[in-house]
Each structure stands twice: as C-alpha cells, then as structure tokens.
Amino acid sequence: MSSSEWEFRNRGDDLSLSVSLSVHRQWKFFRERQLASLLCLSSASHWLPSTVTWLEQMYLMLQRDKVISVNTDRSVIASNVEIARERVHLLLLEPALFQMKSNNLGAVQISRVRMGDLSASWVLENPIDGKQEHPKSFQMVEDSSQSGMIFEEKTQHPTDDHQSGEGELPYPRLSSMSPVKLKRRVMRQERRNLRTAELIGKDTEANNQMAAAAIERSNDFDPLVKGKYSIWRSDYESPNSDSTLKLMQDQIIMAKAYANIAKSKNETDLFNSLMKHLKLSQHAIGEASSDLELHSSAFNRAKAMGRVLSAAKDKLYDCLTVERKLRAMLQSTEEKVNDLKKKSAFLIQLAAKIVPKPLHCLPLQLASDYFLLGYHNREDAKKEKLEDPSLYHYAIFSDNVLATSVVVNSTVVHAKEPNKHVFHVVTDKLNYAAMRMWFIVNPPAGGATVQVENIDDFKWLNSSSCSVLRQLESARLQEYYFKANDPSSLSIGSDHLKYRNPKYLSLLNHLRFYLPDVYPKLDKILFLDDDIVIQKDLTPLWSVDLQGNVNGAVETCKESFHRYDKYLNFSNPLISANFDPHACGWAYGMNIFDLKEWRKRNITGIYHRWQDMNEDRTLWKLGTLPPGLITFYNLTYPLDRGWHALGLGYDPALNQTAIKNAAVIHYNGNYKPWLDLAISKYKAYWSKYVMFDNPYLRLCRISE
C-alpha cells in the first residue's frame, strides 16, 4: 500500500494533537482497493484544522453503527474497513473546520471552527522525517470521461526533489463549491477565453485595416507643396523650410513650462536663466514665418536654449508634473484663442462696415463739383432706351460709386454690342449727386446707357404699402442692428454678428423684391450686385429658357453645404411644413428675372406675406437671401455654374482656373476688393477695371 503518514501539529506547543493519516495519494473513490486506517491521539485541548467535518461526523456515525471502537489508549480501530472508507469519502465532500478536546473522563468533544482563526504557526509535518510545509489547496472537479470525482491540486508543485517523491500527499483542503457551481465556473472561463480570442482577432483585423488604409493614403499623397494664404503676411510660404523655426518655437513652449516649475520649487537661478533665453529666442524669431526670415543669431540662440533646457530637465523633470503643466498651458492657450476668435470676428465685421477715407473722399468731391459746375440741371439723354424691352437691361442697387463703376466698365468691355446695354442704377439720396456726376463725366464706352435714380423719388415705396420698410423704421430693429458695435457683442458668435450689419437696414438691399414696380415696362432684367466683376459677354442670359420659372440663378449647394436648412429655422412649423430642408440654395449677385412671370405669380405679394410673419425674426435671420429663397421656392431655374463664381470675399483657396473661366466673379463676404482686408491674389481681377488715372481718384489718393 502506497501511503504517507503526516501529523498536523502546532510548533508552538510541546503537547500536541496529531492525526496520522494513511491515505492513498490520489483518493479515487471505489477505484483503488486500498485500506485506510485512522488513528486519533489526543493529550490536551488543541486546535486541529481540517477541510472537512469528517472527524466529528465520522466518529459519531461509525461508533453508532458499531463499525469502529475506542480502546483505552484512545486509539480508534476500524472493524469494517470498506464501510469506514466509504463513509470517510462521503464526508470528505463537505468542507469545514473543527476543534477537538478530551475531558477528564476521556470523552472526546469536537466543535467547528474557521480556518481564518488559526495562526501561521500551524504546519503540516511528516512524523517520520520531520519535514514541514503549509497545507495546499485542492479543488474538486468532475472528470467528464469517468464517473465519480477526483481531487485536483490548484497550487503549483514545488520543484524540490524531497517534496516531489512518490507517495507524498499534502493535507487536503477541498473546495466548498458544489459540482454545479464548479461547472458554471468552468463554462464562464471558457466563454471569457472565447471572448478574449474574438477581441484579439478583431483588434488584429482593425490594425490590418488601418495599415492598409495608411498605405493607400501614402500612395495617394501629393508631394507637391501648396501655398498658404495669410491676409497679414506673404501669400506663399513653404512648410518644408522652417525646421529651425519650429525647433525654436517648441523650445519656447518647454522653457515656459520649466520656468513655471522652477519658480514653484524656488529654483531662482534656473528660472532667471530660462526666462533670459526665452526672451532672446522670441527676439530672434520676431515675425518670421520661415527659416529665411529668422535673425542671423537664431541658430546660436537655439543651441544655447537647448543647453539650458537640458539642465532644467536634469534638475526638474518629473513626468507627471511636466504633463500637468503642459496640459494647463494648453487649456490656457485654447481659452485665449477662443477669446481672440471672438474679437477677430467682431473687428472684421467692424472693418467691413467702415468706409475707407479715400472712398469717403470720392463721393464728396464728385457731389461738390456736381452742384458747383451746374450738372444738377442737366437732363438725361437717351430716355427712349430706358423702357425699350428689346435691349439688355441691368439693375444695380448701390451706394458705392467706385464699385458700381467697375461693374459697368467690366460689363461694357466684354459686351459684343455695348450700345444695346442699359444700366439702371438706383442709389440713396446721400450718394445720388456723386453717382450721377461720375457717369456724366465718365460715360461708359461703346455707347452704353446709364440711368441713375434716387430711391427717395419712389413715392409709392412707403411704410404703408411696404412691410419691410415699416419693420426697418422700428426702433427695436434699429437698436438690434446698431448695438452690434457695442463690446458686449463679443459674447455672441460671428454668425450672429454677420447678420447685424447695418447694411441690412438700407432699403436698397430690399429693392430687389420690387423690380416689376420699379421697371413696369420691362419684360426681363439682369440683377447685379456691386461687388462683382464681369469677365464675359452676358447677353446669352436673355436667351435662356427659364421654363416657366421667375428666377435664373447659379445653385450654391455642394453636398450638404448651402441648403435651405442653413438659412431657415426648420424648428418653426411654418418653415418645416412648407419647405424642404435639403433643397438646394442659390446665390444673389447675378440673377436673370422674368418680370412677366413675376407679375403673373404675384411674387412681391408672396414676399410681403412671409416678411410680415417674420417680424419677430423667428423664421430666418435678417438679410435678403433667406426671404429670397422662400419667395422663389420652386420658381428658380438653375443656371450653369460657369456663369457665376462665388467666394472671392472670404475663401482664399478657390480654384484659380474656375475663377478665370467664370463669366461673373463675386466678392461675397467681408473681404471686399476695395478694402484693405481684401485677399490680395483676387484683387487684381477687380482693380484692372478701376480707372486709376482718373483725376478724382488721384485727388482722393486711390491707387492700386
């Protein structure tokens, strides 16, 4: 019989309670026909740990069934080994702890205890060779290939040769879980393993996809260096020629971080050194945007700063502290950038509203000469052309003399028959004399006709018949517009500021909705803004079949941009019930209008109705495009995009070929070509139609 005898004793006591176990090392129930004997010797009251309640229950059960007997020397002798072994194995399935002691009469008393109550001095000791070790845990698992149960060790076996010999069996401590719970645990572990493998597979697949996408992007990468635009600096800069500049900028950031850390740790010398080199580096960079613009001492400054930063790193570097400081600097920088963006939006809107001094000078000089030289008594010639529907008629509503002259000049230059073109210019009372004087002394070439009218002479246009005029005269609306200059307006976004431009108070901006009333005898008219330049002959537009529509315009929607939901408030049921949010928007600036169809469909009445409903500005923001989109909804014919190129007043990245090939280019946006804000690379398209040699322009110092 292969067995091993062990005593479980407390090394801190001379008197001990020992248990000698003669057990087969694998404990296979009904598999091995081995004998088991149990000898319990007790001399005093001691704690005896066990993983089962087999001593307590087996002693009482087997004595009751007369399977065992107790001798006078307190040894327990099994008279029926097979039955005893069967009972012992059954009781081994229920884990517990116990305390056993004997009284003066020799009776054995056993009570349950917890394993946690035992001290670390309890060890498992072999009574033969005296070797000791702590109890190892066993887990009971079910063998799926065999009936019955086996005991499987959970802890790793020691590599010591003395403890790995045959027949050695540690003191067993069995799991308290039932077979069902153990089976569930095994199944859960299997599911975890499957899920882990699945996630690893997905992660590998995602990495492969990212790698493939990166390779594809690298194949499509265009190595050509494209120019950048800045309205404050040169139009072109090479991003590949400023490595030293970038290095110095990074050094300045790290110097600021280390300087703050040095100051907090009272490293005065290091702080002063960092601040000194920081200022020197900033001075060397100055306003440079590339290495070529750097000061000659910049490279030496960079090397000196590198040495100081190296010393600071050796003395102050702590990953967590530096990370915290850089994060704080990033957050502070973001706040400053957001604040500067708001200020920039406000200042750009303000600059767009202000009339430059030369442009203010020009109408003053023209108006002065208009009255001093007696041109105010002069009658308009060619009146018969003004109402001839067979000619090409243009409508321009503007208070900017120079801009209007560019529109007329550029149109006439490209016209095949200039004498058939009639320009109807409407301006306000303040600029009427200057506008008329300009076209009297500078008539367009080729015999084209220009009519200048004063909007105040349209007596039929009053607040009783015109809802928008009534709204524009309200004090509340005027306060809304003119408070845009208040510093408190910085708290609102640039989108709101754009619509608070006082130009929307001008009735000239809304006169486009009254074209049939202004020109009752005309059938078609081409409406032009004053911030455009004509580059081709526009007469083919009068031959375009609008297919029963009123308005011919170039659509501006590209994918999801410039659709109706950008301009109208679709949260309002009046808007959502009558319009499609994905309908394509179009542009004002160059529009061919069929005035006969306009009168037939009562377009002006539609405009009045919606304008009255938007008195509280809940349907759309202020301006003329949103009501135009509403008024001409499903009544606009899309013209070819080559007729009208937009964005020269705000987008520096437009396609140059598209600009050159367009019939009309439009400086829509704040960067008008006559302002200092203008995008310089687009300004030449406009300036070549300005007569810089004109005496009035030279007098007001208007030059290229």
Side-chain angles (χ1 to χ4, degrees):
M1 179 177 63
S2 177
S3 63
S4 177
E5 300 211 355
W6 290 85
E7 290 185 2
F8 202 54
R9 71 171 65 246
N10 189 326
R11 290 176 297 180
D13 299 324
D14 293 331
L15 297 176
S16 63
L17 177 65
S18 62
V19 179
S20 295
L21 301 177
S22 179
V23 186
H24 189 267
R25 63 192 300 261
Q26 294 193 16
W27 290 87
K28 292 185 179 179
F29 178 48
F30 293 126
R31 296 281 180 182
E32 301 291 339
R33 302 178 63 88
Q34 302 291 348
L35 296 177
S37 64
L38 180 65
L39 179 62
C40 296
L41 300 176
S42 177
S43 60
S45 176
H46 290 280
W47 292 98
L48 178 63
S50 174
T51 58
V52 293
T53 57
W54 55 276
L55 276 178
E56 175 189 3
Q57 298 186 27
M58 183 197 68
Y59 181 81
L60 298 176
M61 184 188 303
L62 298 184
Q63 189 176 25
R64 181 192 63 198
D65 295 339
K66 297 183 179 180
V67 176
I68 64 174
S69 61
V70 182
N71 293 336
T72 56
D73 60 352
R74 300 178 187 173
S75 62
V76 181
I77 300 175
S79 60
N80 190 329
V81 175
E82 290 297 331
I83 297 176
R85 189 175 62 179
E86 178 181 349
R87 300 287 177 86
V88 167
H89 276 284
L90 290 174
L91 292 170
L92 280 171
L93 299 177
E94 183 182 358
L97 302 173
F98 69 90
Q99 178 189 25
M100 183 176 66
K101 63 181 180 179
S102 59
N103 57 20
N104 295 331
L105 299 177
V108 177
Q109 296 179 353
I110 301 175
S111 60
R112 301 191 182 196
V113 296
R114 294 181 301 176
M115 191 69 177
D117 294 335
L118 297 174
S119 66
S121 61
W122 286 97
V123 296
L124 201 61
E125 181 178 300
N126 192 323
I128 297 175
D129 56 12
K131 290 183 179 180
Q132 300 175 352
E133 66 178 71
H134 288 280
K136 297 180 181 179
S137 60
F138 283 73
Q139 180 179 2
M140 182 180 66
V141 297
E142 183 176 357
D143 190 348
S144 59
S145 62
Q146 302 178 17
S147 62
M149 310 296 291
I150 64 172
F151 297 104
E152 185 178 282
E153 188 173 356
K154 291 175 67 177
T155 59
Q156 294 182 353
H157 293 283
T159 57
D160 191 353
D161 294 338
H162 296 288
Q163 295 187 13
S164 59
E166 185 180 356
E168 293 182 1
L169 181 67
Y171 190 78
R173 192 178 76 182
L174 303 179
S175 172
S176 62
M177 287 190 179
S178 66
V180 176
K181 290 184 178 180
L182 289 171
K183 185 65 176 178
R184 289 176 181 170
R185 173 181 287 183
V186 172
M187 293 175 67
R188 280 196 300 269
Q189 187 61 38
E190 290 177 352
R191 287 196 297 271
R192 290 193 189 101
N193 295 338
L194 289 174
R195 180 59 178 165
T196 302
E198 181 182 357
L199 292 175
I200 292 174
K202 288 183 177 179
D203 189 50
T204 304
E205 182 180 357
N207 288 338
N208 293 337
Q209 291 177 354
M210 291 175 62
I215 293 172
E216 184 177 355
R217 285 196 300 271
S218 65
N219 293 333
D220 297 336
F221 177 71
D222 184 6
L224 182 64
V225 177
K226 295 182 172 59
K228 299 179 184 177
Y229 173 75
S230 171
I231 62 174
W232 295 284
R233 295 179 182 167
S234 58
D235 290 348
Y236 180 83
E237 70 176 90
S238 174
N240 296 328
S241 62
D242 56 356
S243 57
T244 304
L245 176 63
K246 290 180 179 179
L247 172 64
M248 296 184 70
Q249 290 171 340
D250 291 341
Q251 286 180 335
I252 288 174
I253 294 174
M254 292 306 301
K256 289 180 180 179
Y258 279 125
N260 286 326
I261 297 173
K263 187 176 182 180
S264 65
K265 294 187 176 182
N266 294 325
E267 297 286 347
T268 307
D269 295 339
L270 185 57
F271 171 78
N272 293 334
S273 178
L274 286 167
M275 294 304 297
K276 174 185 174 182
H277 285 82
L278 190 150
K279 291 178 181 178
L280 292 174
S281 294
Q282 289 177 334
H283 178 72
I285 292 176
E287 295 295 327
S289 58
S290 67
D291 285 358
L292 295 176
E293 300 175 13
L294 286 173
H295 193 270
S296 57
S297 63
F299 187 70
N300 292 330
R301 299 295 186 201
K303 290 196 295 184
M305 175 66 88
R307 290 191 291 269
V308 176
L309 287 175
S310 178
K313 181 180 178 181
D314 294 340
K315 199 166 190 178
L316 301 174
Y317 183 76
D318 175 71
C319 184
L320 185 59
T321 304
V322 174
E323 179 192 4
R324 229 180 256 140
K325 179 55 64 178
L326 291 175
R327 192 181 299 276
M329 291 172 62
L330 177 62
Q331 184 177 359
S332 175
T333 303
E334 287 178 349
E335 292 175 356
K336 291 179 181 178
V337 168
N338 290 332
D339 186 53
L340 290 174
K341 281 182 178 179
K342 291 181 180 179
K343 291 181 179 178
S344 174
F346 172 77
L347 293 174
I348 288 175
Q349 295 296 332
L350 186 62
K353 300 170 193 175
I354 295 173
V355 179
K357 185 177 180 180
L359 291 184
H360 185 64
C361 166
L362 180 61
L364 291 177
Q365 293 293 336
L366 288 168
S368 176
D369 288 351
Y370 177 75
F371 290 103
L372 290 175
L373 301 178
Y375 285 100
H376 61 286
N377 297 320
R378 186 171 178 173
E379 295 291 332
D380 288 331
K382 306 177 182 179
K383 285 188 176 181
E384 67 281 359
K385 289 186 176 182
L386 301 180
E387 297 179 349
D388 186 353
S390 64
L391 301 179
Y392 305 110
H393 294 267
Y394 301 84
I396 306 172
F397 305 149
S398 173
D399 58 359
N400 189 324
V401 176
L402 187 62
T404 304
S405 70
V406 169
V407 175
V408 174
N409 291 343
S410 61
T411 305
V412 172
V413 166
H414 296 94
K416 293 180 179 179
E417 299 176 294
N419 61 317
K420 292 185 178 182
H421 293 257
V422 181
F423 298 89
H424 302 270
V425 179
V426 180
T427 187
D428 54 17
K429 184 177 181 179
L430 184 64
N431 293 281
Y432 172 73
M435 190 77 73
R436 193 159 184 264
M437 180 64 180
W438 175 267
F439 287 106
I440 289 174
V441 298
N442 301 293
T449 302
V450 178
Q451 178 195 25
V452 180
E453 295 181 276
N454 182 1
I455 193 172
D456 291 342
D457 293 337
F458 300 156
K459 302 302 180 183
W460 51 269
L461 196 62
N462 51 60
S463 57
S464 60
S465 60
C466 177
S467 58
V468 67
L469 186 59
R470 183 172 60 253
Q471 294 174 15
L472 291 174
E473 290 176 351
S474 68
R476 185 178 64 177
L477 197 62
Q478 292 181 12
E479 182 183 8
Y480 171 81
Y481 276 120
F482 290 106
K483 269 197 172 180
N485 292 334
D486 191 271
S488 63
S489 297
L490 292 176
S491 60
I492 63 178
S494 59
D495 289 342
H496 291 83
L497 281 171
K498 179 175 67 175
Y499 292 101
R500 295 179 70 167
N501 194 323
K503 74 177 183 179
Y504 295 116
L505 277 176
S506 172
L507 189 57
L508 286 173
N509 219 34
H510 293 266
L511 191 62
R512 65 192 69 190
F513 294 103
Y514 300 93
L515 286 172
D517 301 307
V518 180
Y519 311 108
K521 295 185 179 181
L522 300 181
D523 296 333
K524 273 191 175 183
I525 196 166
L526 185 64
F527 173 78
L528 300 176
D529 273 343
D530 63 358
D531 55 352
I532 66 168
V533 173
I534 285 77
Q535 302 185 124
K536 292 182 180 180
D537 182 25
L538 300 181
T539 53
L541 286 171
W542 274 264
S543 303
V544 174
D545 182 11
L546 298 182
Q547 301 179 4
N549 292 295
V550 179
N551 175 27
V554 171
E555 293 182 334
T556 56
C557 57
K558 297 177 182 179
E559 298 178 355
S560 61
F561 302 106
H562 297 292
R563 297 188 182 273
Y564 268 51
D565 57 354
K566 176 179 174 63
Y567 304 99
L568 305 179
N569 179 18
F570 276 87
S571 63
N572 190 296
L574 282 174
I575 296 295
S576 58
N578 290 279
F579 305 99
D580 178 11
H582 303 294
C584 191
W586 46 268
Y588 269 126
M590 189 215 68
N591 307 78
I592 184 72
F593 289 109
D594 186 340
L595 300 184
K596 291 175 66 176
E597 197 68 26
W598 185 312
R599 298 182 188 98
K600 180 180 176 180
R601 294 178 179 270
N602 190 24
I603 298 299
T604 304
I606 296 174
Y607 165 70
H608 281 162
R609 180 166 62 88
W610 283 100
Q611 193 69 45
D612 289 338
M613 288 190 289
N614 192 46
E615 188 170 2
D616 56 355
R617 302 187 301 276
T618 58
L619 303 184
W620 67 82
K621 296 175 183 178
L622 292 169
T624 54
L625 182 56
L629 296 175
I630 288 178
T631 303
F632 297 104
Y633 182 64
N634 289 333
L635 294 173
T636 299
Y637 178 79
L639 298 175
D640 185 87
R641 290 185 183 274
W643 281 109
H644 192 181
L646 297 107
L648 280 76
Y650 68 89
D651 189 354
L654 294 176
N655 186 291
Q656 294 287 338
T657 303
I659 294 174
K660 292 177 181 178
N661 294 334
V664 175
I665 56 175
H666 195 170
Y667 292 84
N668 56 313
N670 287 321
Y671 303 146
K672 301 299 183 186
W674 54 84
L675 298 176
D676 292 336
L677 291 173
I679 300 174
S680 58
K681 63 181 177 181
Y682 300 151
K683 196 168 184 177
Y685 296 108
W686 183 84
S687 354
K688 66 181 178 181
Y689 298 106
V690 178
M691 298 182 294
F692 290 106
D693 58 345
N694 185 279
Y696 286 103
L697 269 59
R698 291 203 305 268
L699 182 63
C700 293
R701 299 181 180 179
I702 297 176
S703 58
E704 293 187 62

